[in-house]
Amino acid sequence: MKSNITYQKESHLSMAEFREILIASSLGERRPVENSARLEDMLRNANLIITARKDGKLIGIARSLTDTTFCTYLSDLAVHREFQKQGIGKTLIQKTKAAYPQAKLILLSAPKATGYYPKIGMSKHDNCYYLEDLDKLS
């Protein structure tokens, strides 16, 4: 039940727990789960991590980078497959936004989740760009 779930800010999440929730949520398909050093860096350099736990077990995470006043980039939103469709993701988003209410919350949707965000009230932005390979910059 959702009532047994606790949400909190965490600053010292273990890399093993992070890897486990990425894989259990399917987000691991698009994250470097086989590269422990990169996962450690992802955790260390995030400055806002909100977790959802049931009986101490990590079942959800919202990992963000924020300047606290203008923008918060929600880089990873992951909920364990067994706990999806219970409002946990939405609650993680709410708590992330509430941590710094002045900052606009920004995220890039996983392909499988593009229909989810409009359903919970988020707006789509058509002018997003990204660069993965510096050699492609002309």
Side-chain angles (χ1 to χ4, degrees):
M1 292 230 118
K2 189 175 174 186
S3 61
N4 296 334
I5 298 170
T6 58
Y7 297 88
Q8 61 272 331
K9 281 186 188 182
E10 291 194 38
S11 56
H12 299 291
L13 190 67
S14 79
M15 186 276 302
E17 274 191 306
F18 184 45
R19 173 188 285 138
E20 189 176 301
I21 193 63
L22 291 174
I23 293 168
S25 69
S26 83
L27 194 56
E29 298 167 9
R30 290 168 305 288
R31 296 297 184 270
V33 295
E34 300 307 318
N35 187 330
S36 298
R38 277 186 84 186
L39 291 179
E40 288 280 0
D41 285 345
M42 289 167 67
L43 285 171
R44 183 174 53 253
N45 293 306
N47 57 353
L48 178 60
I49 296 174
I50 308 287
T51 60
R53 292 183 179 273
K54 180 171 176 143
D55 301 322
K57 179 183 171 153
L58 183 67
I59 61 166
I61 185 171
R63 186 185 70 85
S64 303
L65 307 166
T66 183
D67 63 17
T68 73
T69 191
F70 185 72
C71 65
T72 297
Y73 172 57
L74 176 49
S75 181
D76 298 313
L77 178 67
V79 176
H80 193 293
R81 282 182 188 94
E82 292 177 16
F83 296 92
Q84 292 177 1
K85 299 186 190 278
Q86 297 180 33
I88 297 166
K90 182 178 176 180
T91 301
L92 287 166
I93 291 170
Q94 288 170 331
K95 292 190 176 297
T96 298
K97 175 65 175 154
Y100 302 106
Q102 284 187 309
K104 183 179 290 189
L105 184 67
I106 302 163
L107 64 82
L108 296 174
S109 176
K112 293 178 184 176
T114 57
Y116 170 72
Y117 298 105
K119 284 182 190 175
I120 64 167
M122 293 184 75
S123 302
K124 184 177 180 186
H125 193 288
D126 293 326
N127 301 332
C128 176
Y129 300 90
Y130 67 95
L131 179 67
E132 287 189 73
D133 183 350
L134 185 57
D135 293 333
K136 295 197 181 206
L137 194 62
S138 55

